[in-house]
Structure formats: C-alpha cells, structure tokens
Amino acid sequence: MDKQKIGLVLPNAPGFSETFFNSKIQGLQDAGFEVMLFVNSKGTATARCEVVKAYKVHSNNPPLQFIKILLVFFKLMFSAPQSLLRFIRLERKDGISWKRVVENVYINAHILSFKLKWLHFGFVTMALRSENVARAMGARMAVSFRGYDISVYPIKHPNCYHKLWPKVDKVHTISDDLYQLALRQGLPPQVPVVKITPAIDVQTFSQVRKNTPIAMPLQILSVARLHWKKGFEYGLSAMAILKQRGVAFQYTIVGTGMDHERLVFAANQLGIIDQVKFLGRKTSAEVAALMATADIYLQPSVQEGFCNAVLEAQAAGCICVVSDAEGLSENVLHSRSGFVVPKRDPAAIADTIASISQKHHVEIQHMREFAVNRVAQEFDIKQQMRKFTDFYNS
Amino acid sequence: MELHQKPTMKVAIYSGTIPATTFVEHLIRGLAEQGIEVYIFGKVKKPYRYESKHVHVFPVPEGKLALVRFVLKSLVKVLLTAPQLLAVVRKILQQGKERSFTEKITYLGRILPVMLHPPDIFHIQWVKAIDDFMWLKTELNKKVVVSLRGAHINYSPLADPELAAKFRHFFPDVDVFHGVSRAIVKEAEKYNLDPVKAVVINPAVDEKLLLQVPKTNFKARPLQILSVGRFHWKKGYDIALDALNIAKGKGVDFIYTIIAGGNYEEILFQVNSLGLQENVKIIEGLPHHEVLQFMRTSDVFLLPSVEEGIANVVLEAMGNGIPVISTDCGGMAEVLVNRKNGLLVPVRDPDAIAAAVIEFTELSDASISKMIEEARETIRTNHVLSNQIASFMALYTQVIAPISNG
C-alpha cells in the first residue's frame, strides 16, 4: 500500500530555525507519513520533503496571465480531471462567479493535481479561496489556528471564514484562547479540535543549570520581531518607570523588523537609550547563550498565539514576565512558572520586575525549577511530534 | 548681460515628488506669485497644474526603458551645453561605486535635469537626499538651502548611523537651514548644524480660516473628539486610545474620530481589544476642504503624536476655532501655552491625555471661547501664509546677496 500523504499549505517553506514546522514534518515522516509542502514562495529554506510552489500570478500582464491560465487548465484536464470538475462544481454551488472560479482554479492548481489523505492549512488565512480544494481532491481538510489569523485578520475582514467553517474536518489550535475566539467567529462547536501547543527542543536551552542569585543591574531580555503586536513600546515605558524608581537594569532586545525606528526613537525619548541594547538578528545558539545569562525575560505582547521564545526562556531558567495576550497566560502559569500581567500596562510590568529583584533567592530558585520541569514535561518537541501523528491517525 | 529690470531669481524646490506636500505646494505657488522662477524636479505621482508661468516643471519619466532613454538624451544635452559637467557626473558615479546599474540610472535621472537647468538656489525639502545634490554647491558654487523635516531629523538618524554620518558630513556645506521650529534646529545641532546658519520660519495656514465665526458650544454629548493625520506610529494613535480608554473608565462619554489614510490594522486591533468599537470612528481619505468642514463639527482636537516638526493640522484647528489638546512633542510648545491657547500634555502619557480631556469637559463655555480667541490670535500673529512667503523671500534674498553684489 502507498504511504499516506499529508499536504501542508504554508506561505513559504520553513526556514532552518523554524522548529515548529521542521519538527512536525520530521515527526510525521518518522511515523510513516509522506509529507508535501504547498507554498507561495520557496525562499531560501532547504526543506526535508517535496515542495510545490503555487503558479505565479501576473496581475500586471493580462495576456501572459491568460496564456498561463489556459496552460494550467489544460494540464489539470489531463492530470486530475475529476478533481478539477469537482472543484468547479463545488465553487459554483457556493455561488462564486465564473471569473472568480477560474482565478481560484489557477491559484489552487498546484495542489489539485495530487492525491492526499489530508490537506492541512498552516494558518487559517491560507485556506481563504481554497475552501473547496480538499473536498475536490477527496482529501480531509485541517486548519491551524496560530494567532494573527484568528485574532487580528477577522477584525478587518468580518465573516471572512463563514464559507470555510462548514468544510473543515478538523481543527488544530495552539491555545485554548484562540479556539474560544474562533467559536465566537462562528466555528461550529461540533468540528473536532485538538490543542497542540508549540514545543521546543528543551535540551538546547537547559544546558546551563541556572542557580545564581539575581544581582543588580537586572539583566532583562526580549526576543521578538520588532512589530506592534509585540508591545515593545509598553515594555520600554515600563523600563522608564523602573529607571525613575532607581532600579538598575540592562534591557536587551533581540530581533529585527519594521518598528526598529519607532523603538529606537522611543528608547531615546524615554531617556533610557543607555540602558537598552538593540542587538538585531541573532542565531538560535546566540539566543540560547543570551537566555543563559539573563535574569528576567520580558514578553510585553498585545497579541500572541503562544510564543516559543517564552518557552525557551523558561527552559533556560529565566524568570518570565509576560502579558496576558491570548496564549501567553497558558504558556506561563502566573506566580508559579513566571508572572502574567495585564497587557498594555507598563506600570504593572515595572511593579512585577521591581518585586522580582526583591524576592528571596530560594523563592526565585523554586520558580525556576518549576518552570524548567514544566516545560520539559509538557512542551518538549518529542511529545509534540507524537500528538501530530495522532492528529492525522484518529 | 541681459537687459532685465531686475535679475530674476531661480529657485528649485526639491522634494522628489510632484506634487509635493501641502506646505511645499503653498510655497511653490506663493513664490511664483512673487515673480520668482520656481523649478520643480522629481517624479510625477499625481496630476498637477500650476497656473503661473513662473513655475517650471521638469519631470523624470516612470518606467525603466523611458528612464534609460531620458538619461541618454540628457547626457547628450549636457555634453553639448555644459561639457564641463560630465566630469562631475563621472566623479559622482565613481563615488557611488556600490550602486547597481538600475540605481545609477535612477540617480542620473534625478540629477541630470538639475544639471541642464541649474537654479541659483537649490532648496532641499527631503533632507535624506542631501548627498545627491551637494555637487551644486561644491562644483557649481550654487546655493543650497535645506529644510529640516520632522522624521528626517528627529528619529531616522537615531536608528540609522549611516544617515547620521551623512548629515554630519554634508551639513557644514549647506548655506542656510530652514527649521519649522526652534526644537528641530536644536535637534539638528547633533549633526553638525551651525545654529548661525539656521532660520526658523513658522509653518502657516491660510488666513481665510480666521474669517470664520468660531462656534460657541463645545459640550456635545457624547463629546466629539477629532484627530487628523495619516496612520503612522509617530502620530501616537495607540497612546490616544489607551488615554480615551482611561477617560471612558472615568465616565467620559465620547466619540473619537480619526481622519487618516494608510494601514491601520494596529489601531483597529486595539480598538477591538479595548472594546471601544462604539466610541471610535475611522474616516479614510477625506479631501482637505472637507476635513476643515468636519473639524467645525468637533468639540476638541487631539494631537497625541510622539514626534512632529510643528503639526499644521493643529494650526488649522486653532485658526478654525476648535480647542486643541496636544502633546508637547517637537515644536508644539512653541505654538501652544498650556491653559492659555490650548491644553498641552507630556508625550507618551495616556493618563495626562485622559486628565486633559476630563479637564476640558469641566471648563465653562466662556473659558473655552477665551482659549479659542487666544489660539486664533496666535495664528493671526505668527502663522499666516502671507507672512510665511515673505519670510522665505527674505531668506532667499539673503542667501543670494553675496552673488548679486558681485
């Protein structure tokens, strides 16, 4: 018998450092599945499985687009006539105009010619305009809830998933919070759901057993894209409050992104630029080394699916201070494995950090050990691989 | 020697795009009315029309092929009319060795029209482009005037050390700097700006605004709060929303309208996550005259910015008779005196904005009217367009003076 095939639909092939997808693919392959990736751009990544790229859309060149549509239809008529016909029929049944159906065939053509057991959209947004693809090819359809797709995108596009929900066979969510949000957006409660949180390779981050007392100046670390979702301005305002109160600290921010100017300016205007370092991009080994020496890890996000960096920081023995944005309060258990504060609240961040510096070493050590053990038990990558195998088997 | 009654002055106003911002367009038209020959170089972004025959537009074509053709034609013209400039072209291209072919062509497209029509004064509105045009000064001994713009001075060089180095290198060669506020001149001193060379010319609004009879009732329920300005982090809309969320918690009933363009995913997300959907309205892409009309239906104008030169929209609100709450970012404190002609609060302080909104709701109509009259007086005295043009005329005359004196 043929191996069972799973197709993952992603914006681009996962880069080397994207543990989540790479380990998921590896785990499924080890469990005997054949895995394929469907992407919009291959990027520079070296995937460990077959990668199929979507046909390029030539919106600036109508004649070329027309010719390519003809070619793609011709190809599909020979390679997967039944899937093509079924897809067109399903789309028309949904009341989609002929023009739009032709477009949708074109943008899904790279998927339609395969035979799969599961077609899994890695972000719900990836399934828009592909709602009928799985059914047309006789596959089951899964979608993942990952954060932005459920908590931000639908605000600007209300009801965007209404056509999608009835066609989903199974949902993967990375946090309970996101699943609740999706229910509020019309996901039928009878659709089976499995929560599989992100996971990390605990080994990489817990090599150094941290047991030194917290000393001044406090070493505070954040690792994230410089993007509004990460709430860095609130974090920086909190640092300004700490400085005002005379708490000595050094705040290190790792990451690049469109908000670089915004944050450097904020640190200057808040008068804390001498206490804040922007390190830019770092490799995961370098991040692990920084986490090994940091006292406190801060995640001030206003929107966050779950956050791998916070898992890594806990494994590295950092005391984590995180906002309560979506999955973060499931990631860190308040006052047990770290501290959860209300989002958009610099004073709460500052109070919490100041109180950590006052805590007795025994208490700190207790929290560190609890966090390290909990991450090792509940968030290790091997366990996540098993859960994904079950996801497709049951 | 030509037999002109008085030698006409040729001034190029460069901002890279045609048409430019409102401020620059006002300047162009105002100068042309005074008989100055105004040269405009750059890419055409929208259709434009200048009534005056004193405005000369030299557009750069769009599209790679058209651009290459344009560059070749211009090179030939330079060869025929001013061959000595080819050495300058060569020198400039050698300096920029790391540029790709496309970048070089784009660059030549930008500078060749200036070589073919060299002005007496080259006025750079886009400071980041300063290195593209300093050859006018060093090779042709023309005068270079630089306007200091908010973002280019206040934050871009903080995050970009190369830009900071470029400013430090070129600023000493500039003849005169124009700043919209004393604050921005001070900030530019970090980059080798010699304060002796700086002239502050107040930004201004059309004095016709002052002819309107100001409204007298500011106690609408819900309170109508207005902000105007594109969606950009420097506008501080995130801070405004946090502030109004605090005010709401303290019982203020309000509608906050933001008239703006651009991507507002961040703001939309925040409105939803704070539960302010019923309190916040976003209006996209309203033409300027309608913005001014809309203003008059508002009770109070809010400027929550973290960075500005001087916000023109605040001047418009003041002239229009709308009370203003503003942060004291950039040069705003040079316009607003707290509790005299508006309410001024510290930057990045949601509590302070919330307190100011509450304070406003507690003011009597009489004291609001007094505040508005003070604000209109500020505009009348310091910020009307006709004075602004006169100031620029004086600035140019002063720059050019050594030449005409021989």
Side-chain angles (χ1 to χ4, degrees):
Chain A
M1 199 187 98
D2 269 357
K3 273 187 177 179
Q4 294 197 315
K5 261 194 196 177
I6 296 170
L8 293 177
V9 188
L10 297 173
N12 35 44
F16 180 71
S17 60
E18 285 178 76
T19 336
F20 184 89
F21 288 113
N22 285 327
S23 69
K24 176 178 172 181
I25 294 165
Q26 179 77 58
L28 290 173
Q29 287 169 335
D30 292 348
F33 287 101
E34 193 176 323
V35 183
M36 306 186 56
L37 285 183
F38 297 102
V39 298
N40 295 332
S41 87
K42 282 191 181 174
T44 53
T46 47
R48 37 184 107 222
C49 62
E50 189 181 348
V51 181
V52 184
K53 217 179 124 209
Y55 292 102
K56 200 176 163 210
V57 176
H58 303 272
S59 38
N60 296 328
N61 193 342
L64 176 64
Q65 182 65 78
F66 182 72
I67 293 167
K68 283 196 73 174
I69 287 176
L70 283 182
L71 284 174
V72 163
F73 264 83
F74 196 67
K75 213 173 136 190
L76 276 179
M77 272 191 285
F78 282 92
S79 62
Q82 283 181 334
S83 300
L84 174 65
L85 283 176
R86 262 200 304 261
F87 183 73
I88 293 173
R89 220 177 293 137
L90 288 166
E91 292 273 290
R92 288 296 294 167
K93 218 173 113 194
D94 285 347
I96 292 165
S97 70
W98 276 109
K99 179 171 177 286
R100 189 92 166 163
V101 171
V102 171
E103 284 170 12
N104 288 353
V105 169
Y106 185 78
I107 58 181
N108 290 299
H110 64 304
I111 308 176
L112 278 169
S113 59
F114 289 91
K115 276 256 160 288
L116 302 171
K117 186 188 179 201
W118 281 96
L119 184 64
H120 189 146
F121 294 89
F123 300 80
V124 196
T125 41
M126 297 297 301
L128 294 172
R129 302 189 70 174
S130 302
E131 290 91 345
N132 289 314
V133 176
R135 194 160 296 179
M137 54 203 288
R140 304 189 71 200
M141 179 183 197
V143 294
S144 286
F145 298 163
R146 303 189 50 86
Y148 175 89
D149 49 358
I150 291 295
S151 68
V152 184
Y153 189 82
I155 295 175
K156 199 161 181 189
H157 306 89
N159 302 333
C160 58
Y161 300 135
H162 275 201
K163 208 179 119 197
L164 170 74
W165 292 142
K167 312 195 171 180
V168 174
D169 292 303
K170 204 166 191 178
V171 162
H172 156 232
T173 184
I174 61 170
S175 74
D176 295 329
D177 190 272
L178 285 176
Y179 178 63
Q180 293 303 323
L181 272 175
L183 288 177
R184 260 178 270 159
Q185 285 156 20
L187 173 73
Q190 62 271 23
V191 177
V193 58
V194 178
K195 172 176 153 185
I196 307 176
T197 67
I200 59 165
D201 185 2
V202 172
Q203 283 267 298
T204 319
F205 292 89
S206 60
Q207 282 171 353
V208 189
R209 198 110 188 107
K210 213 185 278 183
N211 51 21
T212 46
I214 287 178
M216 306 306 270
L218 293 170
Q219 299 297 321
I220 306 169
L221 176 68
S222 289
V223 182
R225 261 183 320 141
L226 308 184
H227 187 278
W228 63 263
K229 289 193 290 185
K230 303 298 179 181
F232 276 122
E233 274 188 327
Y234 296 102
L236 291 170
S237 295
M239 296 303 136
I241 297 173
L242 283 177
K243 186 175 178 178
Q244 226 169 27
R245 292 192 194 158
V247 178
F249 65 90
Q250 183 64 242
Y251 183 31
T252 305
I253 295 175
V254 174
T256 55
M258 61 188 294
D259 270 0
H260 181 242
E261 261 188 351
R262 175 182 187 168
L263 299 175
V264 173
F265 177 68
N268 272 276
Q269 195 170 44
L270 291 164
I272 51 170
I273 192 67
D274 293 336
Q275 283 82 37
V276 181
K277 270 192 281 189
F278 291 91
L279 293 191
R281 194 185 300 282
K282 292 281 156 201
T283 65
S284 43
E286 287 167 325
V287 169
L290 286 164
M291 284 179 173
T293 56
D295 300 310
I296 293 170
Y297 180 89
L298 174 63
Q299 191 74 31
S301 302
V302 296
Q303 190 271 318
E304 194 69 69
F306 198 81
C307 195
N308 272 38
V310 170
L311 288 177
E312 293 167 356
Q314 289 177 88
C318 300
I319 300 296
C320 287
V321 177
V322 303
S323 76
D324 61 357
E326 289 136 38
L328 279 175
S329 50
E330 296 164 49
N331 189 322
V332 170
L333 294 183
H334 179 57
S335 77
R336 297 183 69 197
S337 75
F339 297 93
V340 182
V341 298
K343 59 185 176 185
R344 305 183 191 277
D345 192 344
I349 296 173
D351 288 345
T352 305
I353 290 178
S355 78
I356 292 170
S357 71
Q358 304 292 319
K359 285 201 191 314
H360 193 277
H361 178 55
V362 176
E363 206 180 333
I364 294 289
Q365 204 52 29
H366 189 74
M367 185 174 266
R368 278 175 180 160
E369 273 161 25
F370 179 84
V372 168
N373 292 334
R374 176 170 172 265
V375 171
Q377 278 164 23
E378 294 179 28
F379 300 100
D380 189 54
I381 202 99
K382 293 191 192 72
Q383 182 166 291
Q384 189 202 46
M385 290 173 169
R386 268 199 308 279
K387 284 182 182 163
F388 269 115
T389 313
D390 294 344
F391 183 90
Y392 299 113
N393 275 332
S394 59
Chain B
M1 184 74 195
E2 287 177 56
L3 292 173
H4 279 300
Q5 292 234 301
K6 66 176 183 190
T8 51
M9 203 191 288
K10 288 179 279 185
V11 179
I13 308 288
Y14 182 81
S15 68
T17 59
I18 308 168
T21 57
T22 320
F23 160 72
V24 177
E25 288 299 314
H26 274 312
L27 180 62
I28 290 168
R29 289 185 166 79
L31 292 175
E33 271 172 34
Q34 300 295 316
I36 298 232
E37 302 299 324
V38 185
Y39 290 12
I40 308 173
F41 303 96
K43 280 191 174 164
V44 178
K45 295 286 173 195
K46 269 192 257 172
Y48 60 89
R49 209 173 105 79
Y50 296 103
E51 255 100 66
S52 168
K53 61 181 194 321
H54 296 296
V55 180
H56 311 272
V57 184
F58 305 99
V60 182
E62 294 275 357
K64 204 167 168 183
L65 212 64
L67 187 62
V68 171
R69 216 160 45 206
F70 174 79
V71 164
L72 289 176
K73 225 162 81 184
S74 305
L75 275 173
V76 172
K77 276 192 207 159
V78 172
L79 178 71
L80 295 176
T81 57
Q84 78 281 8
L85 285 181
L86 284 180
V88 179
V89 173
R90 200 180 321 128
K91 200 166 143 191
I92 294 169
L93 286 181
Q94 274 165 355
Q95 280 166 3
K97 273 207 177 90
E98 67 284 4
R99 293 185 212 237
S100 70
F101 176 75
T102 315
E103 280 168 338
K104 278 183 178 158
I105 290 293
T106 312
Y107 179 62
L108 285 174
R110 205 152 50 218
I111 65 164
L112 286 171
V114 183
M115 287 192 165
L116 290 168
H117 310 278
D120 302 316
I121 296 172
F122 195 78
H123 185 161
I124 302 176
Q125 299 285 347
W126 191 256
V127 202
K128 285 182 186 174
I130 189 169
D131 50 337
D132 289 349
F133 295 101
M134 283 313 286
W135 53 269
L136 277 160
K137 171 84 187 167
T138 51
E139 309 294 332
L140 299 185
N141 205 23
K142 301 293 183 187
K143 302 293 174 182
V144 173
V145 175
V146 166
S147 279
L148 305 168
R149 323 280 319 179
H152 290 218
I153 299 299
N154 286 337
Y155 61 77
S156 293
L158 291 176
D160 180 357
E162 270 179 41
L163 184 66
K166 184 158 103 179
F167 286 174
R168 283 199 191 92
H169 178 75
F170 287 110
F171 275 9
D173 291 335
V174 172
D175 292 287
V176 174
F177 289 92
H178 150 238
V180 289
S181 65
R182 294 191 298 277
I184 202 162
V185 170
K186 184 107 192 56
E187 188 66 22
E189 283 177 32
K190 287 185 187 164
Y191 310 107
N192 282 345
L193 171 139
D194 179 353
V196 176
K197 287 186 188 174
V199 178
V200 173
I201 298 177
N202 294 328
V205 293
D206 197 329
E207 39 265 66
K208 280 185 218 127
L209 268 184
L210 294 163
L211 300 176
Q212 309 247 25
V213 182
K215 66 184 239 177
T216 48
N217 178 11
F218 300 91
K219 290 290 158 66
R221 289 288 172 271
L223 186 71
Q224 302 292 321
I225 307 173
L226 173 68
S227 286
V228 179
R230 72 200 160 106
F231 286 106
H232 186 281
W233 60 262
K234 72 174 193 166
K235 297 296 176 185
Y237 291 130
D238 52 336
I239 298 163
L241 291 176
D242 281 343
L244 293 176
N245 190 40
I246 296 170
K248 189 181 175 181
K250 294 188 175 169
V252 179
D253 183 17
F254 66 89
I255 299 288
Y256 180 39
T257 305
I258 304 175
I259 301 179
N263 180 350
Y264 57 99
E265 187 177 69
E266 172 180 2
I267 296 308
L268 202 58
F269 178 76
Q270 190 175 355
V271 167
N272 271 267
S273 81
L274 296 175
L276 293 175
Q277 294 93 323
E278 303 295 316
N279 300 88
V280 178
K281 264 197 240 165
I282 291 170
I283 302 178
E284 286 180 274
L286 212 55
H288 186 246
H289 66 275
E290 284 182 43
V291 173
L292 292 179
Q293 271 172 16
F294 191 96
M295 236 180 219
R296 296 175 62 80
T297 68
S298 308
D299 296 309
V300 60
F301 185 91
L302 173 62
L303 185 89
S305 300
V306 295
E307 191 279 324
E308 293 284 351
I310 282 180
N312 247 63
V313 66
V314 164
L315 304 180
E316 284 172 345
M318 291 167 77
N320 216 345
I322 307 305
V324 171
I325 299 174
S326 168
T327 63
D328 73 348
C329 70
M332 295 317 295
E334 293 164 40
V335 179
L336 287 167
V337 178
N338 190 28
R339 294 186 176 137
K340 187 162 181 268
N341 56 4
L343 296 175
L344 196 63
V345 297
V347 285
R348 296 181 187 278
D349 192 342
D351 289 304
I353 293 178
V357 169
I358 292 168
E359 180 179 338
F360 178 80
T361 61
E362 288 163 356
L363 289 176
S364 68
D365 276 355
S367 45
I368 294 174
S369 291
K370 187 155 174 284
M371 196 181 261
I372 287 171
E373 211 20 72
E374 287 283 357
R376 284 160 67 93
E377 189 52 36
T378 306
I379 299 301
R380 206 172 285 131
T381 325
N382 299 326
H383 300 283
V384 291
L385 225 42
S386 47
N387 293 350
Q388 190 188 42
I389 298 298
S391 306
F392 274 106
M393 292 289 292
L395 182 151
Y396 294 141
T397 316
Q398 186 202 331
V399 176
I400 213 95
I403 294 183
S404 31
N405 292 345

